[in-house]
Each structure stands twice: as structure tokens, then as C-alpha cells.
């Protein structure tokens, strides 16, 4: 992701140990400052996430049939529940921020935060529901988007192909070492681990974008009439409200909130 222009990232020694080497010794400050940076994006839009949400994503009747068939096979209890109980409508779920962010919505969020077309983005995760066509808005706006499949040759990735945990470990390393980490679902285990690791070893100074989907849903509902500047300001405010690092609330994951007595050293004793 750094295009062979090596610099020692803040967390590289913690992530890859002795392999964290740098070749910038002796180079000018100008060369160091020009080192490419990248944003890592964990886009939770796999079919299991989409189907389980009970939301709709603009695919009409064909999409509804496909997701219902998937639920019957993989989430039979949920499929039965949809038939025997009145559940909130897809529109209600979306207004409450309970639907996964779509790739096109994610592109708008990044653009409103000031990320330009030249931004290098690493896309983590499994197969996106809808494939390349669903990612079209994101890849059109951000052509420098890469995945582990595009960065590695078939022969390099083949030994890991049957081991989902090892593929996830690759994503974890690249996301954790990124200059900025953005997630679309703050409740996912992967995003919690990455953001928690960055807080613990980065001292709370590693940039992380953790959007509030409920606030964003209210903004997107009005995106047909809202001016871009107003949209931009509202998104930035919604994201800014989630940037504060604080101690672990009672009962919350120690991985997501590592700033707690159980994890932090008490050097004063």
C-alpha cells in the first residue's frame, strides 16, 4: 500500500516485529514527507450482513427474493420470524440506522470528509454483495482502491485461500497500520479489534473514522434536497462526535475499549 516507498509506520514494530524495517535512513526530509499514505476501509456489505439486516438496498423484487432465499438457508429462525411476526419495515430500519452502509453511501461520506480522488484506499473484508457493479460508485470516485487480492499475485495468496482467519489477519495488519482506518459498522468484531489495537498502541492518536449510522441515516434521507456544503458539514459533525477516545464503559468489550485498568500499566506503583 505504500508503493515500495518505505517508512516505518507508528504500529509496524508491534504488528510485524523484526520485519518492520525502513530504508529512509539518509534520505532527505522531502523524500520522507512525500511517502504515500493510505486509508483502510472495512466495508461491511457481505451478503450475510445484508440478508440479516432485513433492509432493502434498491435491488427491487429480485433482491428481495435472493435475500429471502439466503435467509431460509442460513438464518432459518429469522426467516420464520419474518413470516409469523410483524417486524419493522425496511424504511423504519434505515431511519433508525440499523442498515449496513452501502458502498455508494460510504463514498459520499469519504468525499464529504475531504478525501480526494487521489486517495489510496485499502478495502478489507470478504466479497461485497453485488460485486463490482455494487462497488462502481466507490471505485469510480476512488480509482486507487486496492484489496489483498489485487495487491498479491495468485501464487502469493493461494496458500492462504482456504484459511479465512489468515486472510482476515492480512486485513488486520494492513488496516491497523494504516494512516486512517474507516469502518462502516462499529459493532463488528474486526473493526473493534483494529480500532482497539490502534488506541492501545497508538496512544489514542491514530485517526479512526467511526460513523454513527443513525445520524448518517437522517442525513441521507434528505440527500435529494440538501446542498453539498450542508451535507458535508452535517457528515463532518456526525463523524467528529465519535472521535473522542474514552475509558471502557461498564460491560463493553475490552478489545474495543482497551483504555481500562485491566489493560493499562500502572507505572506510578
Amino acid at each position: 500500500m505504500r508503493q515500495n516507498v518505505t517508512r516505518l509506520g507508528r504500529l509496524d514494530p508491534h504488528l510485524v516485529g523484526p520485519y518492520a524495517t525502513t530504508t529512509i535512513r539518509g534520505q532527505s526530509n522531502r523524500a520522507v514527507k512525500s511517502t504515500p499514505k493510505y486509508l483502510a476501509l472495512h466495508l461491511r456489505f457481505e451478503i450475510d450482513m445484508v440478508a440479516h439486516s432485513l433492509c432493502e438496498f434498491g435491488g427491487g423484487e429480485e433482491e428481495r427474493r435472493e435475500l429471502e432465499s439466503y435467509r431460509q438457508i442460513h438464518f432459518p429462525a429469522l426467516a420464520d420470524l419474518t413470516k409469523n411476526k410483524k417486524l419493522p419495515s425496511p424504511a423504519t430500519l434505515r431511519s433508525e440506522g440499523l442498515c449496513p452502509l452501502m458502498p455508494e453511501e460510504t463514498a459520499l461520506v469519504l468525499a464529504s470528509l475531504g478525501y480526494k480522488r487521489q486517495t489510496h484506499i485499502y478495502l478489507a473484508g470478504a466479497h461485497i454483495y453485488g460485486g463490482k457493479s455494487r462497488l462502481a460508485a466507490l471505485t469510480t470516485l476512488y480509482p486507487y482502491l486496492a484489496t489483498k487480492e489485487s495487491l498479491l499475485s495468485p501464487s502469493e495468496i493461494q496458500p492462504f485461500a482456504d484459511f479465512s482467519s489468515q486472510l482476515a489477519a492480512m486485513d488486520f495488519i494492513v488496516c491497523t497500520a494504516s494512516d486512517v482506518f474507516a469502518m462502516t459498522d462499529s459493532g463488528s468484531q474486526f473493526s473493534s479489534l483494529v480500532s482497539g489495537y490502534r488506541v492501545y498502541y497508538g496512544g489514542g492518536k491514530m485517526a479512526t473514522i467511526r460513523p454513527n449510522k443513525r445520524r448518517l441515516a437522517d442525513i441521507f434521507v434528505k440527500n435529494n434536497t440538501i446542498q453539498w456544503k450542508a451535507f458535508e458539514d452535517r457528515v463532518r459533525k456526525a463523524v467528529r462526535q465519535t472521535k473522542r477516545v474514552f475509558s471502557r464503559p461498564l460491560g463493553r468489550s475490552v478489545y474495543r475499549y482497551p483504555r481500562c485498568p485491566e489493560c493499562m500499566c500502572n507505572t506510578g506503583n
Side-chain angles (χ1 to χ4, degrees), residues 76-222:
L78 180 60
D80 290 341
L81 193 64
T82 61
K83 297 175 182 177
N84 302 318
K85 186 176 180 180
K86 184 174 176 58
L87 299 175
S89 68
T92 300
L93 292 171
R94 186 165 296 281
S95 68
E96 292 293 322
L98 298 175
C99 297
L101 278 184
M102 295 182 285
E104 52 267 39
E105 292 174 328
T106 304
L108 285 173
V109 170
L110 293 177
S112 67
L113 293 176
Y115 290 98
K116 306 300 184 185
R117 182 176 173 82
Q118 295 76 22
T119 302
H120 290 260
I121 296 178
Y122 177 81
L123 181 62
H127 299 291
I128 299 300
Y129 175 64
K132 290 183 178 180
S133 61
R134 192 81 218 204
L135 282 171
L138 187 61
T139 54
T140 298
L141 191 58
Y142 295 105
Y144 298 105
L145 186 144
T147 64
K148 53 184 173 292
E149 290 80 9
S150 66
L151 292 173
L152 300 175
S153 68
S155 61
E156 288 174 323
I157 202 169
Q158 194 279 329
F160 308 98
D162 296 328
F163 302 95
S164 59
S165 60
Q166 294 181 15
L167 293 172
M170 292 183 192
D171 282 339
F172 177 84
I173 291 173
V174 181
C175 288
T176 306
S178 64
D179 299 282
V180 180
F181 174 60
M183 65 189 81
T184 60
D185 179 23
S186 60
S188 79
Q189 186 179 39
F190 180 89
S191 292
S192 295
L193 288 170
V194 172
S195 58
Y197 196 101
R198 288 164 66 86
V199 167
Y200 187 82
Y201 287 107
K205 299 178 181 178
M206 304 291 290
T208 298
I209 300 172
R210 186 184 292 107
N212 183 307
K213 289 193 294 182
R214 186 169 187 173
R215 290 195 179 99
L216 288 180
D218 182 59
I219 299 170
F220 283 125
V221 165
K222 301 174 182 177

Side-chain angles (χ1 to χ4, degrees), residues 26-81:
Q27 294 185 18
S28 66
N29 289 334
R30 181 180 178 183
V32 175
K33 290 179 181 178
S34 65
T35 301
K37 297 183 178 182
Y38 71 94
L39 176 148
L41 171 64
H42 187 217
L43 181 61
R44 288 303 316 276
F45 203 73
E46 302 89 350
I47 189 169
D48 60 335
M49 182 81 170
V50 169
H52 195 272
S53 71
L54 299 178
C55 298
E56 294 181 352
F57 303 92
E61 187 59 32
E62 181 180 354
E63 176 190 279
R64 283 192 287 272
R65 287 198 301 267
E66 181 181 9
L67 296 180
E68 177 57 32
S69 297
Y70 188 90
R71 281 191 289 269
Q72 289 176 358
I73 297 172
H74 299 278
F75 307 118
L78 180 60
D80 290 341
L81 193 64

